[in-house]
Amino acid sequence: MLALILCIVFLLLLVIVTAYAERKVAAFIQDRVGPTETGPHGILQSVMDVVKLLQKEDIIPSAADKRLFALAPIVMFAAVLAGFAVIPITPSAIASGAYLGVFYLLAIISLDVIGLLMAGWGSNNKYAVLGAMRSVGQIVSYEIPAGLAVLSVVMICQSLDLQEISFQQGILMNQFAGLEQEVNYLFGLKALNLDVTNVGGITTWNIVRMPFLFIAFIIYFISSLAECNRAPFDIPEAESELVAGFHVEYSGFRFAALFLAEYSMMVLVSLVAVVLFLGSWNTPLPNIGSVQLASWTTGTPGALTGHLWGAFWLLSKTVLLLYTQIWIRWTYPRLRVDQLMHLCWKVFTPIMLALVLLAGLWRLWMI
């Protein structure tokens, strides 16, 4: 129970910081100054927004399905929150060391779609229903290339355990049960005979172990924007057409819960990308001769140094991806629905099917 409370508090703080960062980054891109009045440099603006939302009246439309309307924000946030259970934070810190972590994650995140449908249908509002249907169609579509990207990593790593996948991408690989005899070769090519198991750093990340996974990473990241309803994939919330989309009837604390779920999803998909493709909690610095950068910036598993370095690298990479999501939102225009579906079904899905086949051949013949 304590761990759950700490996770919610951490997510709330991270969402507040991300919301403030989004305003400042948007202001910089648009040559503005952003929040300035509430606290030094406006750093308390997001806190004041939370206080305001908590004090606003909770309005439920008289024609709404009150049960669905009330449950939707809870379902959406609970689905996202449950996904954090299998994310490894450090070499020895993970809420649930599930051996089927990847499978669990893909399954639990899909429940978010049910919450969206409940919010749209329960509102009994045509704009909310249209927004919900758009969102469900978009998310279900982009889960296919995103899922295939995840599958390609699973085929290379031969594991559904996110912690094992993390250990495979660093110098601690031989300290994980079952990986004692494994060897990491540069670019995953045994023929090169360049053992980088003890070099670590970026040379053992999945996007380097199998270079074609970099393409899978790009496709996964773009697909994750669609799953979060982030621009340029924000047609479910197209304010010029649907007022506000599926959450048009929500106010006060319920709207805050939906807002928290959206930003928590941004954090979750970024964490998954880091774990699967970008070395997880492993350092990007390699050992170079007598300069043991990887060893110095990894620490000892189970010790305080291991926890601090692991959390630092994981969060640093996650923050970088979050910044990229914000940057993209305020740079690119919204896609039309036909462009959105064309990109998914006629571009990303065929490429990912080919990459899954290539990952299988790579694992069979190259590693």
Side-chain angles (χ1 to χ4, degrees):
M1 187 63 184
L2 179 61
L4 177 62
I5 294 173
L6 290 176
C7 183
I8 293 175
V9 171
F10 171 74
L11 271 179
L12 182 59
L13 293 175
L14 192 57
V15 166
I16 289 174
V17 172
T18 305
Y20 171 75
E22 176 146 29
R23 293 186 176 195
K24 280 297 187 180
V25 171
F28 175 77
I29 291 174
Q30 297 174 348
D31 199 21
R32 297 185 287 107
V33 293
T36 57
E37 299 298 323
T38 313
H41 305 288
I43 59 174
L44 297 178
Q45 184 62 56
S46 296
V47 177
M48 293 300 103
D49 288 342
V50 172
V51 173
K52 177 189 72 174
L53 287 171
L54 291 177
Q55 296 182 51
K56 291 178 75 70
E57 181 181 2
D58 180 24
I59 300 173
I60 300 179
S62 58
D65 185 322
K66 294 178 175 55
R67 184 175 297 177
L68 290 180
F69 189 86
L71 285 176
I74 300 173
V75 171
M76 291 178 64
F77 180 68
V80 177
L81 181 63
F84 286 90
V86 293
I87 299 295
I89 307 300
T90 71
S92 53
I94 181 172
S96 172
Y99 293 118
L100 299 177
V102 174
F103 183 77
Y104 164 84
L105 195 61
L106 293 176
I108 202 71
I109 290 178
S110 299
L111 294 178
D112 182 55
V113 174
I114 298 176
L116 287 171
L117 271 177
M118 291 170 64
W121 188 262
S123 297
N124 195 21
N125 178 296
K126 61 181 180 181
Y127 295 115
V129 172
L130 285 172
M133 296 305 295
R134 281 185 175 189
S135 187
V136 170
Q138 173 177 300
I139 291 174
V140 170
S141 296
Y142 276 88
E143 277 183 349
I144 294 174
L148 290 173
V150 173
L151 177 60
S152 62
V153 173
V154 170
M155 293 176 71
I156 292 295
C157 296
Q158 295 290 289
S159 175
L160 290 169
D161 186 346
L162 290 171
Q163 188 68 292
E164 182 177 343
I165 292 173
S166 300
F167 269 93
Q168 289 187 32
Q169 299 179 77
I171 59 171
L172 300 177
M173 181 174 73
N174 297 139
Q175 297 185 30
F176 189 86
L179 297 178
E180 295 88 348
Q181 306 301 322
E182 291 288 326
V183 176
N184 265 331
Y185 293 100
L186 187 63
F187 303 128
L189 298 175
K190 188 183 296 186
L192 293 178
N193 200 29
L194 294 175
D195 184 358
V196 294
T197 308
N198 297 316
V199 175
I202 196 172
T203 64
T204 52
W205 290 6
N206 277 334
I207 57 173
V208 177
R209 290 175 69 198
M210 197 278 200
F212 291 105
L213 285 183
F214 183 75
I215 301 173
F217 164 65
I218 296 298
I219 291 177
Y220 169 84
F221 184 72
I222 296 174
S223 298
S224 71
L225 295 178
E227 294 205 35
C228 295
N229 292 328
R230 296 283 297 180
F233 303 97
D234 60 340
I235 60 169
E237 302 173 16
E239 66 280 352
S240 59
E241 307 161 19
L242 302 178
V243 186
F246 63 89
H247 55 71
V248 66
E249 297 287 4
Y250 284 89
S251 63
F253 179 74
R254 298 183 201 278
F255 177 80
L258 292 173
F259 187 80
L260 181 62
E262 177 181 334
Y263 274 82
S264 298
M265 178 65 90
M266 289 172 57
V267 176
L268 181 58
V269 297
S270 297
L271 281 169
V272 173
V274 169
V275 171
L276 293 178
F277 298 99
L278 303 180
S280 188
W281 38 255
N282 289 290
T283 176
L285 305 175
N287 289 328
I288 305 174
S290 60
V291 183
Q292 301 289 297
L293 295 176
S295 301
W296 298 338
T297 57
T298 296
T300 305
L304 180 61
T305 55
H307 287 302
L308 292 178
W309 278 117
F312 171 75
W313 290 121
L314 183 75
L315 291 178
S316 297
K317 298 169 192 174
T318 302
V319 167
L320 181 61
L321 291 185
L322 286 172
Y323 171 78
T324 306
Q325 289 184 348
I326 296 171
W327 173 31
I328 290 173
R329 173 177 180 176
W330 297 101
T331 303
Y332 293 101
R334 179 182 299 135
L335 294 177
R336 298 194 314 267
V337 65
D338 62 306
Q339 295 172 326
L340 185 144
M341 290 302 177
H342 178 274
L343 182 65
C344 174
W345 292 106
K346 294 190 176 181
V347 180
F348 284 173
T349 301
I351 291 175
M352 279 316 310
L353 287 171
L355 283 178
V356 167
L357 176 62
L358 185 59
L361 296 175
W362 194 277
R363 178 69 194 187
L364 182 62
W365 290 335
M366 300 297 184
I367 297 180

